């Protein structure tokens, strides 16, 4: 394959600006999908992606394009997600590309992830082509957006006006890819050097590895060496995404594809690892990806203790497909054996939880999420705490520190004061304001991460009528007056319900939490007390009255099948509850803290 | 499995004077169906002829809907057809559901002559306000007239249906209902806690907030008040919602609760023979049209597994206060109840919802109104 006819690019943007819809048009125009088989956001195949209307996983597709210059080209397109929690998917994809289409919604203009993703692409050395999308909308203001792009340092002459929905601009985009995105460099005759940018576990095929070749070529029979994992596999199949996996004979320099080998141990494959030929290896691996830091942690516990190994297996397989998922075993007095998992955000956590339940059929409990704290003990030791239950007793603590982030919010000026009030109420410290354009202000605050990762985004949206967008990055740990809030159910502390909160908010949170739990925990056969405590001091108390009625008053011949189904449904409900002591606690109880503002 | 191949027989009449506001039974205002009634009764008898061939019938129950809303000729047709096509054994219990305002002396005589020996009358409440809320087409006075007519016609085994737990009802209201009911000396009383069935006008009103439902606490208090009151009045509490004078328990319904065999004919009627559960199509007109394909289309046949039969037998038997007899269980299924359900039983014993007494497993007093908590453990 001739390198000069190859173009590798990704589509990046703020959430919902139309990446996947544009991908649809490119798939159609290049004949990858017939219009008969087309459905909206074709590449969003995962059930969760379709339900939520967002992209979660980056997806690669190979397209054949016959250009106006008379030549045939091969494109490798990667559609990426826009939500902050999945930024890692974007950064991973960038390394497989030479170019990026930066999509901007013509009615929304430049938003926080437009800027963040643009910088990521620029830093990765990608040629960025701006596309102003949704020009069909009533509220489209392409001229304003052009200005905003220029202020970002992009060449507005290159910007393409498009409507992915109506197919406007598709031809121009395809031609711009040919003209502006450089072909990959590298040499087919050098030893194999390829980067793993993703992988997945397929029930039929086993582990499938997605990679981009920088030098050399690969075909079945090659002994592939994973340089960092230091493991070797004989490749049994190589192929490309059309978008379905299609086996081909060989993949060469610059190309993007997958390989399958008899990989038993899923931990042998690490995203970011370098593949080389074991018989003719290169010396130094590619730099790979930056270690990612989990922002949010929670415990996952199987409701049925016998499913611990199932959960472990599922987490390992999911991690293949999502290297930003972290987990390690832990145990809880209340919940038994499970895993402490780290995520990039709350949506990420929610998605992983749902995938485990749907794709792996595991009934489990997710405990309330928290950030990672640092504790300096009186003995001078420094410990990192990612599970509130592990906070040492107050007497041993010299100082507790919590992570801070730099928050960047982009908003039309009229919402500035609302937003600043919000940041202040979340213990934010003002840094600066600057106008990005005349109609967009960027506000910076330093804030405790714990105040941000939960409901901040939802509130931000509501105080700005949906106009503001945000992005943040970790800065450092700072001392704070933090305490552990324990919850007792029927006089027993349920460790999985403990949270770490700022002392000023502890009283309020304790009260609210007890109240929520009272609503969530169903009535039991006896009265159940719910108490919130800091150390030995009870700060809130609620009680759930005993259940007195649960009966089918009428049951005759015609009712039996229906009534049995009703009972089966009640039983299903019970299966989703965890028995702690004598009390049955539903899954939602452990996430109740999220419902408190 | 039972010793012989005899079965109960249920006959469904899907017509009523009007639709009550709480009711989600397969029944329709008779005025909408005048012209099809005779086709319906023909169809019903045809189904009976095919199904009841060689099966000795030990109880008959004509229910609804409101069987007594049928014109006299149609009622007569069914009663005659029954004696012709069904092998009803001698002295079989033979019940008909009768509603106030639909009875005539003639109908009553006809029924007596055809062997009907038990009548069940829906009173629901003695409070006209409640009857109105329920959308019943009669008041208490009308009920009394019908009840007297039934007694005058010579029926000596009569049931009265009641409902408790109407929105706004107080314990004193129930007390009044009970006093009045007991003073009529019915042989049998069914008294149901109101079920807000999805989609019924009453349920819609509650969901909209037009009516507020009673608290579960009050309903539980009412339930145990009723139990104590009727037991003191000489009724035996023999099923979650049923009370009877000595020897007057409803044999037909006990077939359901013992999970024994029964035939069902008519629109929407269910039957069970061995491990086969059948359910006729509910739509009246389709039922009539489809009778030709009796083997296929009007039946939703479901073969249940042995495990399902066991679990159904457990939760149905436990509805009766006499409970589940351990010896009978072992004889029927070849397995020991305690071996099968040790974990479940111990948990429920611990929660004081279940107990063992005289070779049977039974609901405790608390367990009665919490019986679903028990039953879920067995499905
Ligand atoms: N009017 C109009 N709507 C569009 C256009 N392109 C996309 N949309 C709509 O915008 C919404 C988001 O489109 P997607 O393609 O899913 O956006 P995305 O950027 O892939 O979103 P994420 O992957 O979640 O970040 C959908 O409702 C699309 O139908 C367009 O050109 N015009
Ligand atoms: C099979 S129904 C029909 C009997 C007859 N048509 C009548 O209404 O009197 C038998 C009894 O079930 C009870 N019932 C019907 N719907 C109910 C509900 N939603 N909640 C509680 N009991 C109900 C009533 O007491 C009714 O009399
Ligand atoms: S309660 Fe009885 S009378 Fe009322 S609609 Fe239902 S079946 Fe008919
Ligand atoms: Mg998308």
């Amino acid at each position: 394959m001739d390198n000069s006819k190859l173009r590798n690019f990704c589509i990046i943007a703020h959430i919902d600006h139309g990446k996947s819809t544009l991908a649809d048009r490119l798939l159609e125009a290049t004949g990858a999908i017939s219009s008969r088989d087309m459905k909206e956001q074709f590449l969003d195949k995962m059930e969760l992606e379709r339900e939520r209307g967002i992209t979660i996983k980056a997806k690669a597709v190979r397209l054949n394009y016959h250009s106006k210059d008379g030549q045939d080209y091969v494109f490798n397109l990667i559609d990426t997600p826009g939500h902050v929690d999945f930024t890692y998917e974007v950064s991973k994809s960038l390394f497989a590309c030479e170019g990026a289409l930066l999509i901007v919604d013509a009615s929304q203009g430049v938003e926080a992830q437009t800027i963040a993703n643009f910088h990521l692409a620029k830093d990765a050395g990608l040629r960025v082509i701006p596309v102003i999308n949704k020009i069909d909308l009533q509220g489209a203001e392409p001229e304003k957006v052009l200005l905003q792009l220029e202020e970002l340092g992009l060449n507005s002459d290159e910007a393409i006006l498009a409507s992915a929905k109506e197919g406007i601009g598709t031809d121009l985009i395809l031609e711009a890819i040919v003209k502006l995105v450089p072909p990959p460099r590298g040499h087919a005759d050098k030893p194999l050097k390829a980067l793993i940018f993703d992988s997945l576990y397929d029930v039929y095929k086993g582990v499938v590895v997605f990679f981009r070749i920088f030098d050399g070529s690969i075909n079945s029979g090659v002994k592939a060496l994973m340089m960092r994992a230091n493991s070797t596999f004989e490749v049994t199949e190589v192929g490309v995404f059309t978008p379905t996996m299609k086996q081909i004979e060989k993949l060469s320099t610059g190309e993007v594809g997958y390989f399958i080998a008899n990989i038993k141990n899923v931990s042998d494959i690490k995203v970011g690892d370098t593949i080389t030929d074991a018989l003719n290896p290169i010396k130094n691996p590619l730099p790979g990806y930056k270690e990612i830091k989990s922002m949010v942690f929670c415990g996952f516990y199987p409701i049925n203790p016998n499913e611990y190994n199932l959960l472990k297996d599922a987490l390992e397989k999911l991690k293949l497909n999502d290297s930003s998922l972290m987990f390690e075993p832990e145990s809880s007095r209340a919940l038994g054996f499970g895993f402490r998992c780290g995520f990039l955000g709350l949506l990420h956590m929610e998605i992983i939880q749902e995938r485990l339940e749907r794709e792996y059929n595991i009934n489990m409990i997710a405990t309330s999420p928290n950030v990672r704290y640092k504790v300096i003990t009186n003995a001078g030791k420094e410990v990192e705490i990612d599970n509130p239950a592990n906070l040492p007793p107050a007497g041993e603590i010299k100082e507790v520190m919590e992570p801070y982030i730099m928050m960047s919010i982009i908003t039309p000026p009229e919402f500035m004061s609302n937003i600043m009030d919000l940041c202040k109420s979340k213990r934010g410290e003002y840094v600066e304001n600057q106008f990005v354009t005349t109609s967009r202000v960027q506000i910076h605050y330093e804030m405790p991460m714990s105040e941000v990762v939960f409901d901040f985004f939802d509130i931000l949206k509501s105080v700005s009528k949906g106009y503001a967008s945000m992005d943040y990055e970790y800065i450092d740990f700072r001392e704070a007056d933090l305490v552990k809030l324990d919850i007792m159910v029927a006089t027993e502390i349920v460790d999985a319900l403990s949270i770490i909160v700022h002392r000023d908010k502890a009283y309020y949170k304790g009260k609210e939490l007890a109240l929520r739990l009272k609503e969530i925990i169903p009535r039991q056969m006896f009265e159940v007390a719910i108490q919130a405590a800091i150390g030995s001091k009870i700060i809130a108390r609620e009680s759930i009255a005993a259940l007195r009625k649960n009966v089918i008053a009428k049951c005759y011949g015609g009712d039996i099948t229906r009534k049995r189904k009703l009972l089966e449904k009640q039983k299903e409900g019970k299966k989703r509850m965890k028995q702690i002591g004598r009390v049955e606690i539903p899954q939602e109880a452990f996430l109740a803290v999220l419902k408190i503002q | 499995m039972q010793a012989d191949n005899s079965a109960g027989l249920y006959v469904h009449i899907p017509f009523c004077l009007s639709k009550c506001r709480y009711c989600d039974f397969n029944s329709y205002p008779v005025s909408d169906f005048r012209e099809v009634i005779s086709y319906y009764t023909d169809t019903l008898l045809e189904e009976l002829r095919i199904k009841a061939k060689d099966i000795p019938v030990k109880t008959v129950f004509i229910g609804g809907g409101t069987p007594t809303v049928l014109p006299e000729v149609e009622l007569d047709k069914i009663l005659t057809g029954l004696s012709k096509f069904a092998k009803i054994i001698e002295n079989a219990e033979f019940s008909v559901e009768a509603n106030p305002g639909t009875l005539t002396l003639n109908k009553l005589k006809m029924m007596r002559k055809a062997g009907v020996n038990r009548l069940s009358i829906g009173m629901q409440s003695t409070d006209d306000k409640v009857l109105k809320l329920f959308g019943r087409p009669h008041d208490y006075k009308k009920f009394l007239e019908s009840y007297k007519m039934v007694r005058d016609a010579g029926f000596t085994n009569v049931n009265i249906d009641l409902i408790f737990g109407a929105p706004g009802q107080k314990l004193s209201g129930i007390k009044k209902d009970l006093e009045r009911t007991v003073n009529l000396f019915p042989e049998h009383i069914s008294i149901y806690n109101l079920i807000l069935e999805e989609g019924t006008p009453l349920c819609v009103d509650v969901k909209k907030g037009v009516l507020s439902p009673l608290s579960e606490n009050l309903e539980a208090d009412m339930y145990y008040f009723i139990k104590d009151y009727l037991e003191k009045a000489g009724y035996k509490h023999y099923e979650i919602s049923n009370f009877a004078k000595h020897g007057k328990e409803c044999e037909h319904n006990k077939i359901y609760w013992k999970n024994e065999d029964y035939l069902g004919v008519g629109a929407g009627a269910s039957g069970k023979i061995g491990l086969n559960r059948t359910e006729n199509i509910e739509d009246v007109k389709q039922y009539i049209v489809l009778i030709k394909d009796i083997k296929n289309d009007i039946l939703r046949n479901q073969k249940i597994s042995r495990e399902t039969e066991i679990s159904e037998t457990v939760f149905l038997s436990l509805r009766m206060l006499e409970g589940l007899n351990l010896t009978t269980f072992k004889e029927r299924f070849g397995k020991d109840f305690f071996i099968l359900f040790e974990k479940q039983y111990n948990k429920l014993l611990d929660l004081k919802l279940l107990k063992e007494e005289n070779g049977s497993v039974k609901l405790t007093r608390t367990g009665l109104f919490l019986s679903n908590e028990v039953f879920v453990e067995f499905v």
Side-chain angles (χ1 to χ4, degrees):
Chain A
M1 159 113 237
D2 179 1
N3 266 3
S4 69
K5 297 293 182 298
L6 253 180
R7 298 292 182 272
N8 298 323
F9 65 95
C10 51
I11 310 181
I12 57 175
H14 190 79
I15 191 167
D16 269 353
H17 282 204
K19 296 174 288 296
S20 303
T21 309
L22 178 66
D24 288 348
R25 295 295 84 75
L26 301 182
L27 258 65
E28 246 171 17
T30 55
I33 303 288
S34 66
S35 40
R36 191 170 44 97
D37 296 332
M38 196 67 208
K39 50 182 178 188
E40 281 175 29
Q41 289 96 38
F42 185 89
L43 296 177
D44 291 345
K45 272 189 286 251
M46 219 192 291
E47 197 179 272
L48 276 171
E49 294 183 312
R50 299 212 72 80
E51 275 171 24
R52 295 177 181 237
I54 57 167
T55 303
I56 294 166
K57 283 294 300 171
K59 261 151 262 145
V61 201
R62 181 181 173 115
L63 308 171
N64 295 305
Y65 178 57
H66 183 75
S67 165
K68 299 223 166 84
D69 68 11
Q71 307 280 330
D72 287 324
Y73 291 86
V74 169
F75 289 175
N76 283 303
L77 166 165
I78 302 181
D79 180 27
T80 68
H83 193 280
V84 220
D85 281 14
F86 308 122
T87 301
Y88 190 60
E89 287 285 315
V90 183
S91 7
K92 280 189 322 188
S93 311
L94 297 174
F95 286 89
C97 302
E98 279 77 36
L101 298 176
L102 177 68
I103 316 295
V104 186
D105 183 322
S107 67
Q108 300 288 321
V110 166
E111 297 194 70
Q113 272 72 49
T114 319
I115 299 180
N117 288 332
F118 166 64
H119 286 302
L120 284 176
K122 220 174 63 176
D123 294 348
L126 266 53
R127 181 69 161 83
V128 177
I129 306 170
V131 174
I132 301 179
N133 188 33
K134 307 199 189 180
I135 57 163
D136 59 292
L137 285 179
Q138 280 282 313
E141 297 179 302
E143 303 77 27
K144 269 196 186 166
V145 180
L146 278 172
L147 272 176
Q148 294 171 358
L149 288 172
E150 267 186 16
E151 291 182 47
L152 278 178
L154 279 154
N155 180 354
S156 63
D157 294 339
E158 281 176 10
I160 300 166
L161 299 188
S163 163
K165 194 166 184 182
E166 302 189 343
I168 302 168
T170 313
D171 294 350
L172 293 175
I173 293 170
L174 288 164
E175 286 299 313
I177 293 164
V178 170
K179 291 206 189 72
L180 301 178
V181 176
R185 283 180 300 206
H187 301 279
D189 41 9
K190 279 196 183 172
L192 174 64
K193 174 158 83 177
L195 174 77
I196 303 179
F197 68 86
D198 207 349
S199 55
L200 64 78
Y201 185 83
D202 182 284
V203 197
Y204 303 105
K205 305 193 170 211
V207 178
V208 184
V209 181
F210 299 7
F211 61 92
R212 148 80 197 257
I213 306 182
F214 287 93
D215 281 318
S217 64
I218 190 168
N219 49 275
S220 64
V222 163
K223 299 233 170 352
L225 167 67
M226 313 296 125
M227 296 184 77
R228 278 174 226 278
N230 195 21
S231 50
T232 305
F233 305 99
E234 180 170 327
V235 174
T236 56
E237 176 181 333
V238 300
V240 293
F241 312 98
T242 65
T244 47
M245 286 198 259
K246 185 180 148 215
Q247 182 167 8
I248 64 169
E249 212 148 272
K250 176 176 165 181
L251 279 164
S252 189
T253 303
E255 290 191 281
V256 173
Y258 70 88
F259 81 77
I260 297 169
N262 195 7
I263 303 169
K264 289 267 159 52
N265 197 347
V266 290
S267 60
D268 282 336
I269 294 302
K270 290 213 162 49
V271 167
D273 204 348
T274 305
I275 311 167
T276 190
D277 186 340
L279 302 179
N280 184 15
I282 53 168
K283 278 212 197 71
N284 299 315
L286 291 157
Y289 298 129
K290 257 198 319 201
E291 258 308 309
I292 25 163
K293 273 204 166 4
S294 305
M295 302 268 192
V296 179
F297 301 82
C298 82
F300 280 168
Y301 289 85
I303 291 188
N304 175 353
N306 297 332
E307 290 188 350
Y308 175 83
N309 280 325
L310 228 70
L311 176 58
K312 176 162 177 269
D313 190 53
L315 281 167
E316 280 171 355
K317 286 178 178 161
L318 253 190
K319 187 172 166 70
L320 262 190
N321 195 225
D322 181 353
S323 48
S324 61
L325 164 67
M326 302 294 168
F327 61 91
E328 55 186 39
E330 73 167 4
S331 67
S332 146
R333 270 217 346 233
L335 300 178
F337 291 100
F339 296 89
R340 176 84 356 198
C341 304
F343 311 92
L344 297 179
L346 211 55
L347 177 64
H348 186 210
M349 167 179 156
E350 226 175 89
I351 296 288
I352 294 289
Q353 186 188 351
E354 291 235 9
R355 287 187 71 183
L356 286 169
E357 288 181 347
R358 293 184 194 201
E359 294 170 30
Y360 297 90
N361 253 323
I362 296 174
N363 261 332
M364 57 170 206
I365 281 170
T367 65
S368 27
N370 54 269
V371 299
R372 171 175 274 154
Y373 297 93
K374 227 181 232 176
V375 173
I376 319 261
T377 63
N378 285 328
K381 243 184 41 200
E382 188 180 298
V383 252
E384 291 204 341
I385 302 288
D386 55 22
N387 179 352
N390 297 340
L391 195 75
E396 292 174 23
I397 297 179
K398 180 158 163 259
E399 170 178 312
V400 187
M401 299 199 287
E402 64 177 330
Y404 265 66
I405 52 104
M406 175 63 79
M407 170 66 78
S408 148
I409 296 169
I410 295 192
T411 176
E414 62 262 40
F415 303 112
M416 253 175 78
S417 83
N418 279 356
I419 291 171
M420 291 175 73
D421 286 347
L422 168 64
C423 290
K424 217 182 319 162
S425 77
K426 297 286 185 183
R427 299 193 280 136
E429 289 158 32
Y430 175 78
V431 180
E432 62 174 355
N433 277 342
Q434 73 204 38
F435 274 83
V436 189
T437 65
T438 45
S439 57
R440 286 285 182 286
V441 193
Q442 187 168 30
I443 308 172
H444 282 107
Y445 266 85
E446 291 181 353
M447 299 175 74
M449 191 192 282
S450 64
E451 300 282 354
V452 171
V453 283
F454 303 130
D455 55 0
F456 187 84
F457 184 64
D458 296 334
I459 309 176
L460 178 68
K461 282 283 167 195
S462 83
V463 302
S464 67
K465 304 209 168 109
Y467 279 104
S469 59
M470 64 179 242
D471 191 42
Y472 55 84
E473 59 186 42
Y474 164 76
I475 34 183
D476 55 12
F477 275 91
R478 295 182 189 176
E479 189 186 349
D481 191 5
L482 299 168
V483 291
K484 181 163 76 143
L485 181 71
D486 288 321
I487 297 291
M488 290 186 274
V489 176
T491 69
E492 264 187 67
I493 291 188
V494 179
D495 57 0
L497 284 171
S498 297
I499 53 172
I500 292 175
V501 289
H502 196 268
R503 191 182 299 277
D504 294 348
K505 295 186 176 177
Y507 191 79
Y508 173 76
K509 287 226 167 172
K511 237 174 70 179
E512 285 293 304
L513 195 52
L515 214 66
R516 290 279 168 181
L517 289 171
K518 177 184 169 153
E519 284 161 16
I520 294 170
I521 298 176
R523 297 215 255 160
Q524 316 275 316
M525 247 63 73
F526 40 86
E527 187 182 329
V528 174
I530 297 180
Q531 291 161 295
I534 297 173
S536 57
K537 187 171 162 222
I538 306 289
I539 59 167
R541 192 196 146 91
E542 294 289 338
S543 114
I544 304 173
L547 178 74
R548 293 205 53 211
K549 166 183 166 176
N550 185 8
V551 69
I552 294 167
K554 273 177 96 276
C555 187
Y556 296 107
D559 305 317
I560 295 170
T561 304
R562 264 191 311 150
K563 300 304 182 200
R564 191 184 77 226
K565 294 207 169 116
L566 190 127
L567 291 169
E568 279 165 0
K569 224 171 106 191
Q570 285 200 11
K571 185 173 180 126
E572 273 310 303
K574 277 189 190 282
K575 272 202 202 138
R576 298 176 73 83
M577 293 203 235
K578 183 84 187 174
Q579 177 118 17
I580 293 179
R582 288 170 69 213
V583 184
E584 281 173 337
I585 303 186
Q587 285 170 312
E588 311 92 85
F590 296 92
L591 297 177
V593 67
L594 293 178
K595 304 269 151 58
I596 302 168
Q597 293 220 334
Chain B
M1 217 65 55
Q2 48 192 76
D4 54 30
N5 71 333
S6 65
L9 170 63
Y10 177 76
V11 179
H12 190 70
I13 308 298
F15 310 115
C16 294
L17 273 182
S18 59
K19 196 75 189 162
C20 305
R21 302 187 77 239
Y22 52 79
C23 178
D24 79 336
F25 280 105
N26 191 33
S27 69
Y28 312 89
V30 68
S31 49
D32 299 349
F33 283 86
R34 290 270 178 231
E35 67 285 8
V36 299
I37 291 182
S38 71
Y39 295 106
Y40 181 78
T41 49
D42 287 346
T43 311
L44 194 108
L45 291 175
E46 174 64 7
E47 191 191 1
L48 183 70
R49 195 178 59 81
I50 300 166
K51 276 192 180 170
K53 258 192 243 133
D54 313 310
I55 301 177
V57 170
K58 56 183 176 188
T59 60
V60 182
F61 196 107
I62 308 182
T66 308
T68 48
V69 83
L70 289 175
E72 281 170 16
V73 269
E74 298 300 330
L75 190 62
D76 188 46
K77 192 160 94 192
I78 291 182
L79 292 168
T80 316
L82 267 171
S83 57
K84 207 154 90 195
F85 299 130
K87 290 200 328 196
I88 303 172
I89 64 177
E90 217 174 313
N91 293 327
E93 179 190 276
F94 192 156
S95 313
V96 173
E97 272 180 340
N99 273 34
T102 59
L103 287 170
T104 61
L105 208 56
N106 233 346
K107 286 184 194 173
L108 287 166
K109 274 190 193 147
M110 214 169 345
M111 288 193 277
R112 286 262 306 171
K113 222 175 83 203
V116 176
N117 49 29
R118 185 173 181 275
L119 276 195
S120 170
I121 317 177
M123 173 171 75
Q124 319 308 357
S125 174
T126 65
D127 181 342
D128 286 347
K129 278 210 269 327
V130 173
L131 289 173
K132 194 142 178 234
L133 182 76
F134 282 168
R136 294 288 290 183
H138 60 85
D139 55 14
Y140 178 48
K141 195 166 142 262
K142 189 95 203 162
F143 166 80
L144 288 177
E145 285 165 24
S146 297
Y147 186 79
K148 183 166 183 299
M149 212 190 287
V150 165
R151 287 300 195 196
D152 289 348
F155 282 94
T156 54
N157 190 359
V158 178
N159 167 59
I160 293 178
D161 275 346
L162 279 152
I163 295 178
F164 76 92
Q169 201 166 37
K170 295 199 181 74
L171 200 57
S172 56
I174 287 303
K175 202 169 156 195
K176 183 118 200 161
D177 280 346
L178 292 172
E179 269 167 25
R180 287 172 162 175
T181 307
V182 164
N183 280 333
L184 292 168
F185 305 105
E187 283 70 27
H188 191 285
I189 298 171
S190 300
I191 177 158
Y192 306 103
N193 186 197
L194 175 67
I195 307 169
L196 293 170
E197 301 279 9
E198 208 58 50
T200 57
L202 204 66
C203 181
V204 170
D205 278 358
V206 167
K207 282 203 171 149
K208 277 200 297 210
V210 179
L211 293 171
S212 46
L214 296 191
S215 75
E216 291 181 2
N217 265 337
L218 178 54
E219 289 189 308
D221 288 346
M222 285 178 171
Y223 181 77
Y224 290 103
F225 179 82
I226 291 164
K227 174 176 170 61
D228 295 342
Y229 188 100
L230 290 180
E231 281 176 346
K232 234 178 266 159
Y235 290 88
K236 180 175 160 201
H237 190 185
Y238 76 101
E239 193 262 357
I240 291 175
S241 307
N242 284 282
F243 298 82
K245 286 274 159 132
H246 182 74
K248 299 291 184 180
E249 296 171 13
C250 177
E251 294 305 323
H252 182 81
N253 288 339
K254 276 163 74 174
I255 288 178
Y256 301 138
W257 299 321
K258 289 184 177 165
N259 208 13
E260 292 176 349
D261 292 352
Y262 56 97
L263 295 166
V265 297
S270 306
K272 173 198 177 287
I273 301 289
L275 292 177
N276 260 329
R277 284 201 177 279
T278 61
E279 196 186 327
N280 284 353
I281 192 158
E282 292 199 339
D283 186 276
V284 175
K285 286 175 186 161
Q286 285 201 51
Y287 167 78
I288 296 172
V289 173
L290 292 173
I291 187 69
K292 289 174 230 78
D293 309 312
I294 186 158
K295 290 213 178 55
N296 310 311
D297 288 298
I298 67 162
L299 293 180
R300 279 200 290 274
N301 239 312
Q302 197 200 7
K303 181 110 179 143
I304 59 170
S305 68
R306 192 72 169 156
E307 286 74 53
T308 305
E309 198 197 21
I310 291 179
S311 81
E312 286 178 354
T313 305
V314 173
F315 84 72
L316 289 167
S317 304
L318 288 175
R319 292 191 68 86
M320 293 182 292
L321 278 83
E322 68 176 42
L324 177 115
N325 185 286
L326 293 164
T327 318
T328 317
F329 183 88
K330 179 132 195 204
E331 276 167 10
R332 180 165 171 184
F333 298 111
K335 288 178 185 149
D336 192 288
F337 176 84
F338 287 120
I339 292 177
L340 281 181
F341 298 113
E342 187 191 357
K343 225 178 84 194
Q344 290 90 329
Y345 177 76
N346 284 336
K347 177 177 169 185
L348 295 166
L349 185 72
D350 210 46
L351 289 168
K352 301 199 171 59
L353 295 176
L354 216 52
K355 62 181 176 188
E356 189 195 343
E357 208 175 72
N358 308 328
S360 291
V361 173
K362 309 173 182 183
L363 293 174
T364 60
R365 182 178 163 93
T366 336
L368 287 168
F369 214 52
L370 287 168
S371 44
N372 286 355
E373 297 286 328
V374 174
F375 301 161
V376 286
E377 298 293 334
F378 297 101
V379 294

